[in-house]
mmCIF file with all atom_site columns, all heavy atoms in Angstrom:
data_model
loop_
_atom_site.group_PDB
_atom_site.id
_atom_site.type_symbol
_atom_site.label_atom_id
_atom_site.label_alt_id
_atom_site.label_comp_id
_atom_site.label_asym_id
_atom_site.label_entity_id
_atom_site.label_seq_id
_atom_site.pdbx_PDB_ins_code
_atom_site.Cartn_x
_atom_site.Cartn_y
_atom_site.Cartn_z
_atom_site.occupancy
_atom_site.B_iso_or_equiv
_atom_site.pdbx_formal_charge
_atom_site.auth_seq_id
_atom_site.auth_comp_id
_atom_site.auth_asym_id
_atom_site.auth_atom_id
_atom_site.pdbx_PDB_model_num
ATOM 1  N N   . ASP A 1 256 ? 16.706 -26.545 14.470 1.00 98.00 ? 256 ASP A N   1
ATOM 2  C CA  . ASP A 1 256 ? 16.283 -27.795 15.204 1.00 98.00 ? 256 ASP A CA  1
ATOM 3  C C   . ASP A 1 256 ? 15.123 -28.452 14.603 1.00 98.00 ? 256 ASP A C   1
ATOM 4  O O   . ASP A 1 256 ? 15.057 -29.699 14.579 1.00 98.00 ? 256 ASP A O   1
ATOM 5  C CB  . ASP A 1 256 ? 15.992 -27.411 16.720 1.00 98.00 ? 256 ASP A CB  1
ATOM 6  C CG  . ASP A 1 256 ? 17.226 -27.037 17.474 1.00 98.00 ? 256 ASP A CG  1
ATOM 7  O OD1 . ASP A 1 256 ? 18.327 -27.312 17.067 1.00 98.00 ? 256 ASP A OD1 1
ATOM 8  O OD2 . ASP A 1 256 ? 17.033 -26.443 18.617 1.00 98.00 ? 256 ASP A OD2 1
ATOM 9  N N   . MET A 1 257 ? 14.127 -27.641 14.154 1.00 97.00 ? 257 MET A N   1
ATOM 10 C CA  . MET A 1 257 ? 12.991 -28.265 13.537 1.00 97.00 ? 257 MET A CA  1
ATOM 11 C C   . MET A 1 257 ? 13.421 -28.938 12.182 1.00 97.00 ? 257 MET A C   1
ATOM 12 O O   . MET A 1 257 ? 12.944 -30.011 11.910 1.00 97.00 ? 257 MET A O   1
ATOM 13 C CB  . MET A 1 257 ? 11.920 -27.198 13.245 1.00 97.00 ? 257 MET A CB  1
ATOM 14 C CG  . MET A 1 257 ? 11.190 -26.842 14.581 1.00 97.00 ? 257 MET A CG  1
ATOM 15 S SD  . MET A 1 257 ? 9.704  -25.864 14.186 1.00 97.00 ? 257 MET A SD  1
ATOM 16 C CE  . MET A 1 257 ? 10.411 -24.296 13.778 1.00 97.00 ? 257 MET A CE  1
ATOM 17 N N   . LEU A 1 258 ? 14.213 -28.278 11.352 1.00 97.00 ? 258 LEU A N   1
ATOM 18 C CA  . LEU A 1 258 ? 14.692 -28.903 10.094 1.00 97.00 ? 258 LEU A CA  1
ATOM 19 C C   . LEU A 1 258 ? 15.384 -30.175 10.396 1.00 97.00 ? 258 LEU A C   1
ATOM 20 O O   . LEU A 1 258 ? 15.153 -31.143 9.634  1.00 97.00 ? 258 LEU A O   1
ATOM 21 C CB  . LEU A 1 258 ? 15.544 -27.854 9.363  1.00 97.00 ? 258 LEU A CB  1
ATOM 22 C CG  . LEU A 1 258 ? 14.850 -26.637 8.853  1.00 97.00 ? 258 LEU A CG  1
ATOM 23 C CD1 . LEU A 1 258 ? 15.836 -25.632 8.220  1.00 97.00 ? 258 LEU A CD1 1
ATOM 24 C CD2 . LEU A 1 258 ? 13.751 -27.101 7.742  1.00 97.00 ? 258 LEU A CD2 1
ATOM 25 N N   . ALA A 1 259 ? 16.132 -30.173 11.460 1.00 97.00 ? 259 ALA A N   1
ATOM 26 C CA  . ALA A 1 259 ? 17.000 -31.404 11.662 1.00 97.00 ? 259 ALA A CA  1
ATOM 27 C C   . ALA A 1 259 ? 16.012 -32.595 12.070 1.00 97.00 ? 259 ALA A C   1
ATOM 28 O O   . ALA A 1 259 ? 16.470 -33.725 12.046 1.00 97.00 ? 259 ALA A O   1
ATOM 29 C CB  . ALA A 1 259 ? 17.991 -31.138 12.808 1.00 97.00 ? 259 ALA A CB  1
ATOM 30 N N   . ALA A 1 260 ? 14.901 -32.340 12.564 1.00 97.00 ? 260 ALA A N   1
ATOM 31 C CA  . ALA A 1 260 ? 13.946 -33.384 12.952 1.00 97.00 ? 260 ALA A CA  1
ATOM 32 C C   . ALA A 1 260 ? 13.248 -34.004 11.811 1.00 97.00 ? 260 ALA A C   1
ATOM 33 O O   . ALA A 1 260 ? 12.572 -35.075 12.044 1.00 97.00 ? 260 ALA A O   1
ATOM 34 C CB  . ALA A 1 260 ? 13.000 -32.821 14.030 1.00 97.00 ? 260 ALA A CB  1
ATOM 35 N N   . PHE A 1 261 ? 13.268 -33.521 10.637 1.00 96.00 ? 261 PHE A N   1
ATOM 36 C CA  . PHE A 1 261 ? 12.671 -34.111 9.492  1.00 96.00 ? 261 PHE A CA  1
ATOM 37 C C   . PHE A 1 261 ? 13.409 -35.304 8.935  1.00 96.00 ? 261 PHE A C   1
ATOM 38 O O   . PHE A 1 261 ? 14.631 -35.241 8.916  1.00 96.00 ? 261 PHE A O   1
ATOM 39 C CB  . PHE A 1 261 ? 12.492 -33.095 8.377  1.00 96.00 ? 261 PHE A CB  1
ATOM 40 C CG  . PHE A 1 261 ? 11.367 -32.130 8.489  1.00 96.00 ? 261 PHE A CG  1
ATOM 41 C CD1 . PHE A 1 261 ? 11.578 -30.853 9.181  1.00 96.00 ? 261 PHE A CD1 1
ATOM 42 C CD2 . PHE A 1 261 ? 10.094 -32.313 7.938  1.00 96.00 ? 261 PHE A CD2 1
ATOM 43 C CE1 . PHE A 1 261 ? 10.590 -29.979 9.300  1.00 96.00 ? 261 PHE A CE1 1
ATOM 44 C CE2 . PHE A 1 261 ? 9.081  -31.432 8.122  1.00 96.00 ? 261 PHE A CE2 1
ATOM 45 C CZ  . PHE A 1 261 ? 9.362  -30.238 8.791  1.00 96.00 ? 261 PHE A CZ  1
ATOM 46 N N   . PRO A 1 262 ? 12.746 -36.382 8.616  1.00 95.00 ? 262 PRO A N   1
ATOM 47 C CA  . PRO A 1 262 ? 13.448 -37.453 7.962  1.00 95.00 ? 262 PRO A CA  1
ATOM 48 C C   . PRO A 1 262 ? 13.985 -37.081 6.565  1.00 95.00 ? 262 PRO A C   1
ATOM 49 O O   . PRO A 1 262 ? 13.301 -36.358 5.828  1.00 95.00 ? 262 PRO A O   1
ATOM 50 C CB  . PRO A 1 262 ? 12.292 -38.580 7.867  1.00 95.00 ? 262 PRO A CB  1
ATOM 51 C CG  . PRO A 1 262 ? 11.072 -37.848 7.875  1.00 95.00 ? 262 PRO A CG  1
ATOM 52 C CD  . PRO A 1 262 ? 11.276 -36.603 8.709  1.00 95.00 ? 262 PRO A CD  1
ATOM 53 N N   . THR A 1 263 ? 15.008 -37.689 6.174  1.00 94.00 ? 263 THR A N   1
ATOM 54 C CA  . THR A 1 263 ? 15.606 -37.408 4.884  1.00 94.00 ? 263 THR A CA  1
ATOM 55 C C   . THR A 1 263 ? 15.503 -38.731 3.919  1.00 94.00 ? 263 THR A C   1
ATOM 56 O O   . THR A 1 263 ? 15.622 -38.563 2.717  1.00 94.00 ? 263 THR A O   1
ATOM 57 C CB  . THR A 1 263 ? 17.077 -37.016 4.924  1.00 94.00 ? 263 THR A CB  1
ATOM 58 O OG1 . THR A 1 263 ? 17.782 -37.947 5.627  1.00 94.00 ? 263 THR A OG1 1
ATOM 59 C CG2 . THR A 1 263 ? 17.133 -35.628 5.694  1.00 94.00 ? 263 THR A CG2 1
ATOM 60 N N   . ASP A 1 264 ? 15.231 -39.774 4.569  1.00 93.00 ? 264 ASP A N   1
ATOM 61 C CA  . ASP A 1 264 ? 15.168 -41.084 3.848  1.00 93.00 ? 264 ASP A CA  1
ATOM 62 C C   . ASP A 1 264 ? 13.729 -41.502 3.875  1.00 93.00 ? 264 ASP A C   1
ATOM 63 O O   . ASP A 1 264 ? 13.290 -42.231 4.861  1.00 93.00 ? 264 ASP A O   1
ATOM 64 C CB  . ASP A 1 264 ? 16.050 -42.075 4.351  1.00 93.00 ? 264 ASP A CB  1
ATOM 65 C CG  . ASP A 1 264 ? 16.106 -43.420 3.608  1.00 93.00 ? 264 ASP A CG  1
ATOM 66 O OD1 . ASP A 1 264 ? 15.582 -43.329 2.389  1.00 93.00 ? 264 ASP A OD1 1
ATOM 67 O OD2 . ASP A 1 264 ? 16.577 -44.419 4.110  1.00 93.00 ? 264 ASP A OD2 1
ATOM 68 N N   . PHE A 1 265 ? 12.899 -41.154 2.886  1.00 91.00 ? 265 PHE A N   1
ATOM 69 C CA  . PHE A 1 265 ? 11.497 -41.581 2.847  1.00 91.00 ? 265 PHE A CA  1
ATOM 70 C C   . PHE A 1 265 ? 10.965 -41.635 1.431  1.00 91.00 ? 265 PHE A C   1
ATOM 71 O O   . PHE A 1 265 ? 11.588 -41.152 0.480  1.00 91.00 ? 265 PHE A O   1
ATOM 72 C CB  . PHE A 1 265 ? 10.668 -40.464 3.604  1.00 91.00 ? 265 PHE A CB  1
ATOM 73 C CG  . PHE A 1 265 ? 10.678 -39.064 3.039  1.00 91.00 ? 265 PHE A CG  1
ATOM 74 C CD1 . PHE A 1 265 ? 9.760  -38.755 2.136  1.00 91.00 ? 265 PHE A CD1 1
ATOM 75 C CD2 . PHE A 1 265 ? 11.672 -38.235 3.339  1.00 91.00 ? 265 PHE A CD2 1
ATOM 76 C CE1 . PHE A 1 265 ? 9.681  -37.453 1.500  1.00 91.00 ? 265 PHE A CE1 1
ATOM 77 C CE2 . PHE A 1 265 ? 11.693 -36.919 2.771  1.00 91.00 ? 265 PHE A CE2 1
ATOM 78 C CZ  . PHE A 1 265 ? 10.770 -36.671 1.837  1.00 91.00 ? 265 PHE A CZ  1
ATOM 79 N N   . GLU A 1 266 ? 9.862  -42.302 1.281  1.00 91.00 ? 266 GLU A N   1
ATOM 80 C CA  . GLU A 1 266 ? 9.251  -42.477 0.006  1.00 91.00 ? 266 GLU A CA  1
ATOM 81 C C   . GLU A 1 266 ? 7.763  -42.074 0.081  1.00 91.00 ? 266 GLU A C   1
ATOM 82 O O   . GLU A 1 266 ? 7.117  -42.273 1.091  1.00 91.00 ? 266 GLU A O   1
ATOM 83 C CB  . GLU A 1 266 ? 9.361  -43.895 -0.464 1.00 91.00 ? 266 GLU A CB  1
ATOM 84 C CG  . GLU A 1 266 ? 10.753 -44.406 -0.786 1.00 91.00 ? 266 GLU A CG  1
ATOM 85 C CD  . GLU A 1 266 ? 10.890 -45.806 -1.277 1.00 91.00 ? 266 GLU A CD  1
ATOM 86 O OE1 . GLU A 1 266 ? 9.812  -46.388 -1.536 1.00 91.00 ? 266 GLU A OE1 1
ATOM 87 O OE2 . GLU A 1 266 ? 11.924 -46.265 -1.584 1.00 91.00 ? 266 GLU A OE2 1
ATOM 88 N N   . LEU A 1 267 ? 7.257  -41.561 -1.036 1.00 91.00 ? 267 LEU A N   1
ATOM 89 C CA  . LEU A 1 267 ? 5.884  -41.134 -1.054 1.00 91.00 ? 267 LEU A CA  1
ATOM 90 C C   . LEU A 1 267 ? 5.199  -42.064 -2.130 1.00 91.00 ? 267 LEU A C   1
ATOM 91 O O   . LEU A 1 267 ? 5.746  -42.256 -3.175 1.00 91.00 ? 267 LEU A O   1
ATOM 92 C CB  . LEU A 1 267 ? 5.730  -39.658 -1.450 1.00 91.00 ? 267 LEU A CB  1
ATOM 93 C CG  . LEU A 1 267 ? 6.207  -38.575 -0.526 1.00 91.00 ? 267 LEU A CG  1
ATOM 94 C CD1 . LEU A 1 267 ? 5.933  -37.265 -1.037 1.00 91.00 ? 267 LEU A CD1 1
ATOM 95 C CD2 . LEU A 1 267 ? 5.559  -38.766 0.918  1.00 91.00 ? 267 LEU A CD2 1
#
Side-chain angles (χ1 to χ4, degrees):
D256 286 346
M257 286 193 284
L258 289 174
F261 281 90
T263 57
D264 183 16
F265 62 93
E266 294 183 2
L267 295 180

